[in-house]
Amino acid sequence: MTKPNKNKSGGIIMAHRIVWIDTLKAMTIFLVVIGHTIGLPTPVERLIFSFHMPIFFWLSGLLVKKNIREIPFRAYVKNKARSRLIPYISFSILSYILWFFLFRHFGTQAQLNISPIRTFIGIFYGNGINHWMDHNTVLWFFLCLFVTEILFFFLIKIPSKMGLMVALTLFSIGGYVDTWINRPDGFRLPWNMDIAFSMVVFYGIGYLCQPWLSFDIWKNRLFKWGLGATCLALYTVCSLMNLKVAVVAGVYGNYIFFYTAALSGILFWVILAMQIPANRLISKIGDSTLIIFPLHLLVFPFLTAIIVYGFKIPSSIKEDSILLSLAYAVISILILLPVADGIKKYFPVFIGLPGKDKK
């Protein structure tokens, strides 16, 4: 990650903060990857899914530039389209080709027998449920983040922080009510617009946390450990008392449990990340989340093929093996690290980055 300049008013973007941000991103992407395996116990799934998508929106808001109010809307949309929609299109094309020629002919996909036309339309519809994006479900995130950032561009025009917090509260209520109106098995808005109503809450909270995370009290170990223990307790209890959250489907469960678990979980993992010293591998993983996130589900089928056809082990073993889930996550991330390096070096435009001649 490029070393940023120091800023007196926003300690979050100072150089010494970069380590824990990359660490947090690395831990979170690992939890996302392992959360998409099928061998985890239900309580572990609830702990992961209660916060692992909200924290990505929170992190995006945390890194919003201070001059966002001064950026013209057209320039803002153009920049976000480049960094969100170009990767979405690139990974959608790759995923659809692999799914069409390979994945849909094996395992669960073969049993479902989903129409290639439906999945192709799903690329434009952008909804990650009801088999619209069976080629790569996780790609819904790019579109939802794009819509979320457009929403926030207008919310940030609210002159006071108190007004912004009120607006975010109203969006949290509206987004939650929407999940009861637009059920997963019913009509869903394209590009996950309905999900963005809830995710903009975490995005906005991330933005509001910028100055708060630079306070000197964070240097107090007693404060951090006490707050961390409190957050861990809230995060654990509310996650386990709630049903399994599925943000992509608008399944949040209990309103209080959902927001308490997500926010306390985010803060707990932030505090934990701050305690971990700099590590080259962790930083590398954190800096490669943009590529690991959309590609890890494409690695899973190949790992399963090796198990089934190479070692002659039934694929059903994945359903009850925590160790195999761990292996899938670790191996997938390690495989994708050099892939990420290659894409960033030779094909940067595929992920919305400028080419060498434009840097």
Side-chain angles (χ1 to χ4, degrees):
M1 181 177 287
T2 304
K3 185 176 180 180
N5 296 322
K6 293 185 178 181
N7 186 305
K8 293 181 180 180
S9 63
I12 191 63
I13 64 172
M14 292 172 63
H16 69 279
R17 297 293 188 182
I18 291 298
V19 172
W20 73 259
I21 291 178
D22 275 343
T23 300
L24 181 63
K25 291 167 65 179
M27 293 191 302
T28 303
I29 196 62
F30 173 78
L31 292 173
V32 167
V33 176
I34 198 171
H36 287 150
T37 63
I38 58 176
L40 299 178
T42 299
V44 175
E45 287 187 325
R46 291 187 180 184
L47 287 170
I48 293 175
F49 280 78
S50 65
F51 88 100
H52 79 329
M53 290 315 303
I55 199 173
F56 274 110
F57 289 92
W58 182 86
L59 269 170
S60 298
L62 186 73
L63 299 175
V64 168
K65 294 181 179 179
K66 291 290 185 180
N67 67 341
I68 183 174
R69 288 188 174 91
E70 304 167 8
I71 303 175
F73 179 68
R74 184 175 180 180
Y76 181 82
V77 172
K78 182 178 180 180
N79 177 62
K80 294 305 177 182
R82 176 180 57 81
S83 59
R84 310 306 181 201
L85 301 187
I86 289 180
Y88 175 77
I89 294 171
S90 301
F91 292 126
S92 291
I93 293 173
L94 173 63
S95 301
Y96 186 82
I97 291 173
L98 288 173
W99 177 84
F100 184 87
F101 289 105
L102 289 176
F103 302 154
R104 73 187 182 100
H105 300 293
F106 299 96
T108 304
Q109 285 293 310
Q111 297 172 13
L112 291 172
N113 193 29
I114 302 300
S115 168
I117 297 177
R118 179 183 180 86
T119 308
F120 181 75
I121 294 174
I123 295 175
F124 303 94
Y125 182 31
N127 202 294
I129 60 173
N130 300 329
H131 303 294
W132 286 109
M133 299 179 71
D134 273 19
H135 57 287
N136 196 343
T137 306
V138 299
L139 294 178
W140 71 271
F141 171 76
F142 286 96
L143 295 179
C144 188
L145 180 57
F146 176 75
V147 175
T148 298
E149 290 174 321
I150 300 303
L151 280 176
F152 188 73
F153 180 85
F154 294 103
L155 288 178
I156 198 60
K157 302 299 183 181
I158 298 174
S160 68
K161 288 186 177 180
M162 180 59 68
L164 177 58
M165 287 189 285
V166 171
L168 294 176
T169 300
L170 294 176
F171 264 94
S172 74
I173 297 172
Y176 185 80
V177 171
D178 176 78
T179 63
W180 290 98
I181 298 174
N182 292 330
R183 306 299 292 176
D185 56 348
F187 174 76
R188 301 302 299 277
L189 296 177
W191 286 31
N192 308 281
M193 294 179 184
D194 39 4
I195 305 302
F197 296 156
S198 296
M199 293 304 104
V200 74
V201 178
F202 298 101
Y203 192 95
I205 292 174
Y207 174 80
L208 291 172
C209 282
Q210 288 184 0
W212 184 70
L213 286 173
S214 66
F215 291 165
D216 288 339
I217 196 170
W218 285 97
K219 299 176 183 179
N220 187 310
R221 291 177 61 86
L222 181 61
F223 168 79
K224 283 194 294 187
W225 284 112
L227 181 60
T230 302
C231 288
L232 176 59
L234 286 171
Y235 159 55
T236 302
V237 171
C238 291
S239 295
L240 297 181
M241 291 185 68
N242 201 9
L243 50 74
K244 177 184 172 182
V245 171
V247 171
V248 63
V251 176
Y252 305 145
N254 180 279
Y255 176 87
I256 300 299
F257 290 159
F258 169 63
Y259 277 101
T260 302
L263 293 174
S264 59
I266 288 171
L267 190 50
F268 166 74
W269 287 98
V270 166
I271 293 172
L272 183 61
M274 288 179 173
Q275 314 310 310
I276 299 176
N279 178 281
R280 182 175 298 180
L281 177 60
I282 292 177
S283 295
K284 189 177 183 63
I285 294 172
D287 194 42
S288 302
T289 54
L290 175 64
I291 297 168
I292 294 173
F293 183 87
L295 293 184
H296 70 276
L297 287 184
L298 304 185
V299 177
F300 284 3
F302 291 104
L303 297 181
T304 300
I306 293 173
I307 292 174
V308 174
Y309 299 108
F311 294 98
K312 308 299 181 183
I313 300 174
S315 60
S316 59
I317 191 176
K318 298 185 299 180
E319 300 176 6
D320 301 304
S321 176
I322 299 178
L323 290 179
L324 195 57
S325 292
L326 181 63
Y328 263 63
V330 172
I331 294 172
S332 296
I333 290 174
L334 292 179
I335 288 175
L336 290 174
L337 284 179
V339 173
D341 287 340
I343 291 176
K344 286 184 284 188
K345 183 176 181 180
Y346 299 107
F347 308 102
V349 292
F350 288 1
I351 54 175
L353 297 177
K356 292 181 179 180
D357 57 331
K358 295 182 180 181
K359 289 183 179 180

